[in-house]
Amino acid sequence: MTLTSLTTLVGVPIDCTGRAAGVERMPAALRAAGLARRLGMPDVGDLPVTLDDPRRDPATGIIGFEAVCAASAGIRAGVGALLARGERPLVVGGCCTLLLGIFAALRDQLGRTGLAFVDGHLDFYDGQTSPTGEPADMELAILSGLGPAGLVDLAGPPPLAASSDIFVLGYRDAEQAAQEGAPDPSIVTPEMHLLTAQAVRQAPAQVGAQVAEKLALTPGRYWLHLDLDVLDETVLPAIDYPMPGGLNWAELAALVRPLAQLPALIGLDVTIYNPTLDSGGQYASQIVELLVEILKT
Ligand SMILES: [Mn+2]
């Protein structure tokens, strides 16, 4: 008997600064906080991928571009093998870069798949406008077909995900991204569904339920991305790019639980918690409790 809506835990210990600055330790930290045991879920360990080249590639503007391509191929293969045997993975990052390999695997194994993208940031920079060059600034754009060859065409002709199948929930950096010259998804990909943190916070449970129902209808299956920086900096300070104006824990659980419960959910990734900023492990425990709360059936 299944006690959760997902079936297998897998870690992706990557940090796209290429400097092992902390988020690559997230899978180990959540395991130490009892994640697999609390979920009663088998744990297949970490995929053998890493990002260890901190140099920003001049051609693409992306840090460690070749390493990002290699890691994405490894994630595509590892997640693809799980999907091929019917698993519904809980993928613990790492940084948001892992979505590229995941969507390549989804396209290989299942075809068209929707995306509920719960994130404090739009992640729609390109290699030139990103202040950092981190691909975790850019993965939503790359998924949508905007970015360098080698990534946008990872699993065939772009895009990896159709913009009309993507719901972006909880972002609050649109003004900053515009100031820095990032492409604006409301202009570049007008079919994409965009809901700010402010909009989500008005009625998180209703938003989550409505998005889940829409994606379950079309395209009929979806992936859930959960970047924990959707939480406010005061309730989760153990992240690298803190921002005010985010959700609290109860609002996030209310938003995500309906999305985590429908049979159309193929898998979930959770990213961006940095254990080196959480010496007592307090936030690791809170993240484990959040995942239990949203995934238990
Ligand atoms: Mn993100």
Side-chain angles (χ1 to χ4, degrees):
M1 184 177 138
T2 309
L3 297 175
T4 62
S5 45
L6 301 178
T7 62
T8 308
L9 172 64
V10 61
V12 177
I14 58 169
D15 166 29
C16 65
T17 68
R19 298 180 192 278
V23 296
E24 79 290 347
R25 303 189 200 184
M26 177 175 171
L30 294 193
R31 285 188 180 102
L35 181 60
R37 179 178 49 78
R38 291 281 281 110
L39 290 171
M41 189 183 284
D43 180 358
V44 297
D46 287 346
L47 296 181
V49 294
T50 187
L51 291 176
D52 56 5
D53 177 2
R55 295 169 300 172
R56 191 167 182 171
D57 172 50
T60 62
I62 292 178
I63 293 173
F65 178 68
E66 294 301 328
V68 171
C69 292
S72 297
I75 294 163
R76 177 188 186 181
V79 172
L82 294 173
L83 295 173
R85 61 176 209 237
E87 302 285 0
R88 292 178 180 245
L90 167 59
V91 179
V92 179
C95 70
C96 303
T97 309
L98 53 71
L99 263 182
L100 305 177
I102 287 173
F103 264 78
L106 290 166
R107 183 157 158 179
D108 292 338
Q109 301 296 330
L110 300 173
R112 184 180 163 189
T113 303
L115 171 61
F117 186 90
V118 178
D119 199 309
H121 300 91
L122 282 166
D123 294 346
F124 215 79
Y125 287 88
D126 57 34
Q128 282 63 52
T129 58
S130 165
T132 63
E134 295 172 15
D137 273 356
M138 313 173 198
E139 84 282 356
L140 186 60
I142 295 170
L143 286 178
S144 309
L146 303 158
L151 289 179
V152 290
D153 52 359
L154 196 59
L160 280 162
S163 300
S164 57
D165 295 341
I166 299 176
F167 287 77
V168 180
L169 305 172
Y171 67 97
R172 55 193 195 278
D173 72 330
E175 201 173 318
Q176 187 189 348
Q179 278 168 10
E180 290 169 340
D184 179 347
S186 70
I187 294 168
V188 183
T189 51
E191 316 80 18
M192 194 179 284
H193 310 270
L194 300 168
L195 279 106
T196 63
Q198 203 179 10
V200 167
R201 292 184 71 191
Q202 313 238 332
Q206 287 85 341
V207 168
Q210 283 168 8
V211 171
E213 281 168 31
K214 285 180 185 167
L215 286 171
L217 201 63
T218 313
R221 67 175 79 86
Y222 61 91
W223 187 268
L224 175 55
H225 165 66
L226 176 52
D227 179 332
L228 291 165
D229 69 20
V230 75
L231 288 163
D232 192 78
E233 61 184 357
T234 58
V235 302
L236 181 65
I239 56 165
D240 293 321
Y241 298 103
M243 261 190 304
L247 279 59
N248 64 35
W249 290 96
E251 289 166 339
L252 180 56
L255 170 69
V256 172
R257 183 164 162 85
L259 286 157
Q261 289 295 322
L262 287 197
L265 177 75
I266 300 300
L268 159 65
D269 75 88
V270 57
T271 62
I272 290 297
Y273 159 70
N274 183 340
T276 66
L277 304 174
D278 182 21
S279 55
Q282 169 198 346
Y283 298 110
S285 298
Q286 276 189 274
I287 294 163
V288 169
E289 293 316 308
L290 173 78
L291 292 170
V292 170
E293 186 178 342
I294 65 171
L295 292 174
K296 71 184 177 198
T297 54

